[in-house]
Structure formats: structure tokens, C-alpha cells
Amino acid sequence: MAIEVARGRYMFLPVKQYKNSRPPGFDLDKFLEENEARQRRGEPWLPLPKARSSSPSLEPRLEVKFSYNYLHDLESLWWIAMYNIVCRQVMHKDSTEDTLSCTNGQLKLASKLFWNRSQDARDTVITEQGYLRGSLPDFHENVQNALEVLLDARDGLVSGYRTMEKGPATSVDDVDHEMHAAFLRCFHTLAQEFKRRGVVAHLLPK
């Protein structure tokens, strides 16, 4: 499931500009954490204090009514592909026995993202640039390239979110029409990569 759908709110609204115009002593990060806690309790969000600037470009867009869009569908497909890499162990192609390869790092990531379904961890994967790239060495060399392809697709997806959530006038039409084609190329590349390397993988034991 897309992280914005799971949270029921937009995650890429341009609030950073607001940090430079906030009232003295106002902690935006703490404000967001407190409101997320209120949301989990089923309570409404508290309103933001007025910005010092009257410029519309500096007004935070945090209380926008959430609406599902096609990028959320693409992200859902992305998570399915991630599951099929993160939660599988690769059989050694050059082994005479059915030996499987898996590291503790991969097991921890599978547990955090899929088995225990930590929403905070899933949020971080999408919202923090490069978060998963440090985990590449934890995976079998035969799937590292495929994982990089997926991480590149994640970057394109986030770029689409940021474009769509820039302002009230932004719509789906403002997002690159190549997004669907880019995802098709991504999955085609994954298939070709697995075929080229002759990857055989089995689901990890929970």
C-alpha cells in the first residue's frame, strides 16, 4: 500500500519553506509529530500558526484534503516488486547443492518492511533519499542490480509526488506523462535482469 494512502494524508507537501517564515520558537518537526499522534488517536489535526510572511508561496499546505491518485497505484506495484526481492533468498547458481544465500541485514529489512509492517520504516524508505542504497551489500550480487533499478523507480515516483503536491493548481496532468512508461521499462528491465543471470529464489523463512 502507498504510504500516503496508509497515512491518509499527503507526505510531500512543500513545508520546508515554512520553516524559514515560522513564528519564533515554533518547532515544525515537533508539530508534525504531535499531529501524527493525534491522527492515530482519531483526533483532528491542530491548525498551524500563521507564517510571518503573507506570501502564498510560504503558506504551508498541510491541511489539504487527501485524494487518491494513480501514483499511489504505481507505488503499490513498487512495493510488490520490493517484496519479491527483499523477502526472497537466492540459490547459488554455481553450487552442486541447494544452498541459499541470505544475510542478517536482509532478514532484518524483510521483517521491518513486510513481516512486522512498520509503517514508520516504510515511510522512511519512500521519503528519505538513498535510505535503502546502504542496504545493497546485504543482498546477493545477482539481485543487487535489480534492486538498484527499483530504487531508481522510487526516485522517479517521489519526483512525481513532489510535482503533484506543489500547490493547489497542480494536477495529475502536471506530472510527467512518461511515469507509466518508466514503470513499464522498470519491470521489463527486472525481468531481463533475472533472466540474464538465471536467478532462482525462494521465499525467506519467517
Side-chain angles (χ1 to χ4, degrees):
M1 180 185 293
I3 62 169
E4 292 188 337
V5 176
R7 292 291 189 188
R9 67 178 179 85
Y10 294 117
M11 303 287 282
F12 297 95
L13 297 173
V15 298
K16 289 185 178 179
Q17 291 175 305
Y18 183 76
K19 291 185 177 183
N20 299 324
S21 61
R22 64 188 183 275
F26 176 69
D27 188 331
L28 179 60
D29 293 327
K30 184 178 180 181
F31 172 86
L32 292 174
E33 289 176 5
E34 290 176 349
N35 269 316
E36 285 180 355
R38 290 176 62 88
Q39 185 178 31
R40 287 192 291 271
R41 296 193 299 267
E43 301 172 5
W45 274 47
L46 295 172
L48 278 160
K50 293 292 185 181
R52 288 179 295 186
S53 169
S54 58
S55 170
S57 64
L58 293 180
E59 287 299 317
R61 298 182 59 245
L62 294 178
E63 299 178 52
V64 179
K65 184 178 179 181
F66 179 74
S67 179
Y68 194 95
N69 62 65
Y70 81 88
L71 292 180
H72 298 132
D73 289 329
L74 293 179
E75 186 186 335
S76 294
L77 292 174
W78 185 88
W79 279 111
I80 292 171
M82 282 293 294
Y83 174 85
N84 280 287
I85 291 181
V86 174
C87 294
R88 288 183 180 272
Q89 51 190 343
V90 177
M91 182 180 292
H92 289 291
K93 191 168 84 171
D94 56 352
S95 175
T96 56
E97 300 178 1
D98 290 341
T99 55
L100 299 173
S101 174
C102 181
T103 66
N104 287 334
Q106 183 182 348
L107 284 170
K108 289 179 180 177
L109 191 62
S111 177
K112 189 161 49 175
L113 295 181
F114 297 104
W115 300 336
N116 295 331
R117 292 187 58 83
S118 166
Q119 190 58 50
D120 288 341
R122 291 166 72 91
D123 291 351
T124 302
V125 166
I126 298 297
T127 60
E128 289 194 15
Q129 177 77 20
Y131 174 75
L132 278 183
R133 293 192 185 275
S135 299
L136 284 173
D138 291 330
F139 289 83
H140 192 280
E141 60 181 4
N142 282 349
V143 298
Q144 286 183 12
N145 286 348
L147 190 54
E148 285 196 85
V149 169
L150 278 179
L151 296 183
D152 289 342
R154 170 257 170 224
D155 295 345
L157 186 67
V158 169
S159 176
Y161 280 138
R162 293 193 188 283
T163 298
M164 190 175 293
E165 297 170 22
K166 278 192 302 189
T170 309
S171 69
V172 174
D173 293 334
D174 295 312
V175 178
D176 188 357
H177 291 288
E178 284 291 310
M179 185 69 74
H180 281 102
F183 262 69
L184 283 173
R185 288 193 297 270
C186 167
F187 286 109
H188 178 73
T189 301
L190 291 179
Q192 293 296 103
E193 180 70 13
F194 290 144
K195 181 179 179 180
R196 182 177 69 84
R197 291 180 177 269
V199 174
V200 178
H202 300 274
L203 285 174
L204 289 171
K206 292 186 181 180

mmCIF file of all heavy atoms in Angstrom, residues 11-12 22 37 40 50 77 81-82 92 94 107 109 111 123-124 141 147 157 159 168 185 196:
data_model
loop_
_atom_site.group_PDB
_atom_site.id
_atom_site.type_symbol
_atom_site.label_atom_id
_atom_site.label_comp_id
_atom_site.label_asym_id
_atom_site.label_seq_id
_atom_site.Cartn_x
_atom_site.Cartn_y
_atom_site.Cartn_z
ATOM 1 N N MET A 11 2.375 13.378 1.880
ATOM 2 C CA MET A 11 3.665 13.316 2.570
ATOM 3 C C MET A 11 4.721 14.226 1.946
ATOM 4 O O MET A 11 5.816 14.342 2.479
ATOM 5 C CB MET A 11 4.189 11.874 2.558
ATOM 6 C CG MET A 11 3.245 10.848 3.164
ATOM 7 S SD MET A 11 3.148 10.937 4.953
ATOM 8 C CE MET A 11 4.679 10.117 5.410
ATOM 9 N N PHE A 12 4.404 14.843 0.816
ATOM 10 C CA PHE A 12 5.424 15.626 0.114
ATOM 11 C C PHE A 12 4.995 17.071 -0.120
ATOM 12 O O PHE A 12 5.426 17.709 -1.071
ATOM 13 C CB PHE A 12 5.778 14.950 -1.220
ATOM 14 C CG PHE A 12 6.378 13.590 -1.039
ATOM 15 C CD1 PHE A 12 5.582 12.455 -1.107
ATOM 16 C CD2 PHE A 12 7.723 13.440 -0.764
ATOM 17 C CE1 PHE A 12 6.114 11.190 -0.916
ATOM 18 C CE2 PHE A 12 8.269 12.182 -0.571
ATOM 19 C CZ PHE A 12 7.462 11.056 -0.648
ATOM 20 N N ARG A 22 8.411 30.691 9.973
ATOM 21 C CA ARG A 22 7.603 30.312 11.129
ATOM 22 C C ARG A 22 7.753 31.333 12.252
ATOM 23 O O ARG A 22 8.773 32.030 12.344
ATOM 24 C CB ARG A 22 8.018 28.926 11.627
ATOM 25 C CG ARG A 22 9.443 28.867 12.157
ATOM 26 C CD ARG A 22 9.832 27.417 12.435
ATOM 27 N NE ARG A 22 11.165 27.321 13.012
ATOM 28 C CZ ARG A 22 12.282 27.288 12.317
ATOM 29 N NH1 ARG A 22 12.239 27.375 11.007
ATOM 30 N NH2 ARG A 22 13.449 27.175 12.922
ATOM 31 N N ALA A 37 0.479 11.852 16.022
ATOM 32 C CA ALA A 37 -0.015 11.115 17.194
ATOM 33 C C ALA A 37 -1.512 11.354 17.384
ATOM 34 O O ALA A 37 -2.271 10.431 17.699
ATOM 35 C CB ALA A 37 0.758 11.546 18.438
ATOM 36 N N ARG A 40 -3.412 9.251 14.866
ATOM 37 C CA ARG A 40 -3.505 7.843 15.246
ATOM 38 C C ARG A 40 -4.579 7.621 16.312
ATOM 39 O O ARG A 40 -5.170 6.549 16.400
ATOM 40 C CB ARG A 40 -2.145 7.344 15.750
ATOM 41 C CG ARG A 40 -1.102 7.163 14.650
ATOM 42 C CD ARG A 40 0.098 6.397 15.148
ATOM 43 N NE ARG A 40 0.887 7.156 16.104
ATOM 44 C CZ ARG A 40 1.877 7.975 15.772
ATOM 45 N NH1 ARG A 40 2.217 8.130 14.512
ATOM 46 N NH2 ARG A 40 2.554 8.614 16.701
ATOM 47 N N LYS A 50 0.088 31.123 12.043
ATOM 48 C CA LYS A 50 0.271 31.899 10.817
ATOM 49 C C LYS A 50 1.751 32.160 10.552
ATOM 50 O O LYS A 50 2.526 32.403 11.467
ATOM 51 C CB LYS A 50 -0.465 33.250 10.913
ATOM 52 C CG LYS A 50 -1.977 33.109 10.952
ATOM 53 C CD LYS A 50 -2.501 32.603 9.623
ATOM 54 C CE LYS A 50 -4.024 32.570 9.606
ATOM 55 N NZ LYS A 50 -4.529 32.064 8.319
ATOM 56 N N LEU A 77 2.468 -1.155 -6.801
ATOM 57 C CA LEU A 77 3.193 -2.115 -7.635
ATOM 58 C C LEU A 77 4.670 -2.159 -7.240
ATOM 59 O O LEU A 77 5.295 -3.229 -7.229
ATOM 60 C CB LEU A 77 3.058 -1.737 -9.116
ATOM 61 C CG LEU A 77 1.668 -1.889 -9.728
ATOM 62 C CD1 LEU A 77 1.657 -1.332 -11.152
ATOM 63 C CD2 LEU A 77 1.235 -3.349 -9.733
ATOM 64 N N ALA A 81 6.977 -5.432 -6.018
ATOM 65 C CA ALA A 81 8.282 -5.804 -6.575
ATOM 66 C C ALA A 81 9.346 -5.849 -5.478
ATOM 67 O O ALA A 81 10.190 -6.755 -5.449
ATOM 68 C CB ALA A 81 8.678 -4.811 -7.669
ATOM 69 N N MET A 82 9.300 -4.880 -4.570
ATOM 70 C CA MET A 82 10.250 -4.867 -3.459
ATOM 71 C C MET A 82 10.099 -6.121 -2.605
ATOM 72 O O MET A 82 11.096 -6.735 -2.192
ATOM 73 C CB MET A 82 10.036 -3.623 -2.600
ATOM 74 C CG MET A 82 10.627 -2.355 -3.182
ATOM 75 S SD MET A 82 12.441 -2.389 -3.226
ATOM 76 C CE MET A 82 12.817 -2.389 -1.466
ATOM 77 N N HIS A 92 22.482 -20.316 -4.946
ATOM 78 C CA HIS A 92 23.777 -20.188 -5.605
ATOM 79 C C HIS A 92 23.789 -20.976 -6.912
ATOM 80 O O HIS A 92 23.593 -22.180 -6.919
ATOM 81 C CB HIS A 92 24.894 -20.703 -4.682
ATOM 82 C CG HIS A 92 25.147 -19.807 -3.519
ATOM 83 N ND1 HIS A 92 25.716 -18.560 -3.642
ATOM 84 C CD2 HIS A 92 24.885 -19.966 -2.191
ATOM 85 C CE1 HIS A 92 25.823 -17.997 -2.455
ATOM 86 N NE2 HIS A 92 25.317 -18.827 -1.550
ATOM 87 N N ASP A 94 26.243 -21.628 -8.919
ATOM 88 C CA ASP A 94 27.404 -22.480 -9.174
ATOM 89 C C ASP A 94 27.558 -23.589 -8.137
ATOM 90 O O ASP A 94 28.578 -24.249 -8.063
ATOM 91 C CB ASP A 94 28.676 -21.624 -9.198
ATOM 92 C CG ASP A 94 28.856 -20.829 -7.917
ATOM 93 O OD1 ASP A 94 27.914 -20.840 -7.096
ATOM 94 O OD2 ASP A 94 29.909 -20.201 -7.751
ATOM 95 N N LEU A 107 17.371 -10.111 6.307
ATOM 96 C CA LEU A 107 16.314 -10.626 7.182
ATOM 97 C C LEU A 107 15.693 -9.509 8.018
ATOM 98 O O LEU A 107 14.473 -9.440 8.177
ATOM 99 C CB LEU A 107 16.874 -11.721 8.101
ATOM 100 C CG LEU A 107 17.105 -13.095 7.462
ATOM 101 C CD1 LEU A 107 17.873 -13.990 8.426
ATOM 102 C CD2 LEU A 107 15.784 -13.733 7.066
ATOM 103 N N LEU A 109 15.625 -6.326 7.299
ATOM 104 C CA LEU A 109 14.865 -5.426 6.429
ATOM 105 C C LEU A 109 13.518 -6.046 6.059
ATOM 106 O O LEU A 109 12.484 -5.370 6.071
ATOM 107 C CB LEU A 109 15.670 -5.125 5.168
ATOM 108 C CG LEU A 109 15.142 -4.007 4.270
ATOM 109 C CD1 LEU A 109 15.135 -2.672 5.019
ATOM 110 C CD2 LEU A 109 15.988 -3.893 3.010
ATOM 111 N N SER A 111 11.832 -8.210 7.768
ATOM 112 C CA SER A 111 10.985 -8.194 8.960
ATOM 113 C C SER A 111 10.394 -6.816 9.201
ATOM 114 O O SER A 111 9.199 -6.667 9.486
ATOM 115 C CB SER A 111 11.814 -8.637 10.170
ATOM 116 O OG SER A 111 11.050 -8.560 11.352
ATOM 117 N N ASP A 123 7.541 4.438 5.554
ATOM 118 C CA ASP A 123 7.557 5.869 5.249
ATOM 119 C C ASP A 123 8.971 6.332 4.918
ATOM 120 O O ASP A 123 9.197 7.080 3.958
ATOM 121 C CB ASP A 123 7.037 6.682 6.436
ATOM 122 C CG ASP A 123 5.551 6.494 6.682
ATOM 123 O OD1 ASP A 123 4.876 5.865 5.849
ATOM 124 O OD2 ASP A 123 5.070 6.974 7.725
ATOM 125 N N THR A 124 9.934 5.889 5.733
ATOM 126 C CA THR A 124 11.320 6.324 5.566
ATOM 127 C C THR A 124 11.894 5.879 4.227
ATOM 128 O O THR A 124 12.625 6.617 3.572
ATOM 129 C CB THR A 124 12.198 5.775 6.712
ATOM 130 O OG1 THR A 124 11.667 6.219 7.961
ATOM 131 C CG2 THR A 124 13.632 6.269 6.587
ATOM 132 N N GLU A 141 24.585 -10.791 -4.978
ATOM 133 C CA GLU A 141 25.045 -9.989 -6.120
ATOM 134 C C GLU A 141 24.138 -10.136 -7.337
ATOM 135 O O GLU A 141 24.046 -9.227 -8.173
ATOM 136 C CB GLU A 141 26.473 -10.390 -6.493
ATOM 137 C CG GLU A 141 26.632 -11.844 -6.898
ATOM 138 C CD GLU A 141 28.063 -12.210 -7.240
ATOM 139 O OE1 GLU A 141 28.941 -11.345 -7.085
ATOM 140 O OE2 GLU A 141 28.301 -13.352 -7.668
ATOM 141 N N LEU A 147 17.652 -4.474 -7.604
ATOM 142 C CA LEU A 147 17.247 -3.605 -6.506
ATOM 143 C C LEU A 147 17.570 -2.150 -6.818
ATOM 144 O O LEU A 147 16.780 -1.248 -6.511
ATOM 145 C CB LEU A 147 17.942 -4.042 -5.216
ATOM 146 C CG LEU A 147 17.473 -3.393 -3.911
ATOM 147 C CD1 LEU A 147 15.963 -3.535 -3.736
ATOM 148 C CD2 LEU A 147 18.198 -3.995 -2.718
ATOM 149 N N LEU A 157 9.248 8.194 -8.730
ATOM 150 C CA LEU A 157 7.929 8.262 -8.100
ATOM 151 C C LEU A 157 7.845 9.448 -7.137
ATOM 152 O O LEU A 157 6.875 10.211 -7.144
ATOM 153 C CB LEU A 157 7.659 6.961 -7.354
ATOM 154 C CG LEU A 157 6.274 6.774 -6.729
ATOM 155 C CD1 LEU A 157 5.213 6.672 -7.814
ATOM 156 C CD2 LEU A 157 6.258 5.513 -5.868
ATOM 157 N N SER A 159 9.638 12.135 -7.210
ATOM 158 C CA SER A 159 9.643 13.358 -8.017
ATOM 159 C C SER A 159 8.230 13.680 -8.506
ATOM 160 O O SER A 159 7.805 14.838 -8.496
ATOM 161 C CB SER A 159 10.596 13.193 -9.209
ATOM 162 O OG SER A 159 10.557 14.325 -10.047
ATOM 163 N N PRO A 168 -2.031 24.227 -5.017
ATOM 164 C CA PRO A 168 -3.433 23.924 -5.316
ATOM 165 C C PRO A 168 -3.719 23.778 -6.805
ATOM 166 O O PRO A 168 -4.626 23.059 -7.192
ATOM 167 C CB PRO A 168 -4.181 25.132 -4.732
ATOM 168 C CG PRO A 168 -3.245 25.735 -3.750
ATOM 169 C CD PRO A 168 -1.864 25.478 -4.271
ATOM 170 N N ARG A 185 9.142 0.141 -18.207
ATOM 171 C CA ARG A 185 10.551 -0.133 -18.515
ATOM 172 C C ARG A 185 11.252 -0.740 -17.313
ATOM 173 O O ARG A 185 12.099 -1.633 -17.440
ATOM 174 C CB ARG A 185 11.258 1.150 -18.955
ATOM 175 C CG ARG A 185 10.862 1.646 -20.342
ATOM 176 C CD ARG A 185 11.810 2.720 -20.837
ATOM 177 N NE ARG A 185 11.779 3.909 -19.996
ATOM 178 C CZ ARG A 185 10.953 4.934 -20.192
ATOM 179 N NH1 ARG A 185 10.094 4.896 -21.205
ATOM 180 N NH2 ARG A 185 10.979 5.990 -19.401
ATOM 181 N N ARG A 196 18.724 -12.959 -17.500
ATOM 182 C CA ARG A 196 20.138 -12.951 -17.895
ATOM 183 C C ARG A 196 21.006 -13.661 -16.859
ATOM 184 O O ARG A 196 21.928 -14.391 -17.198
ATOM 185 C CB ARG A 196 20.609 -11.507 -18.090
ATOM 186 C CG ARG A 196 22.060 -11.375 -18.550
ATOM 187 C CD ARG A 196 22.410 -9.924 -18.787
ATOM 188 N NE ARG A 196 22.459 -9.170 -17.556
ATOM 189 C CZ ARG A 196 23.525 -9.121 -16.748
ATOM 190 N NH1 ARG A 196 24.618 -9.802 -17.046
ATOM 191 N NH2 ARG A 196 23.507 -8.394 -15.658
#
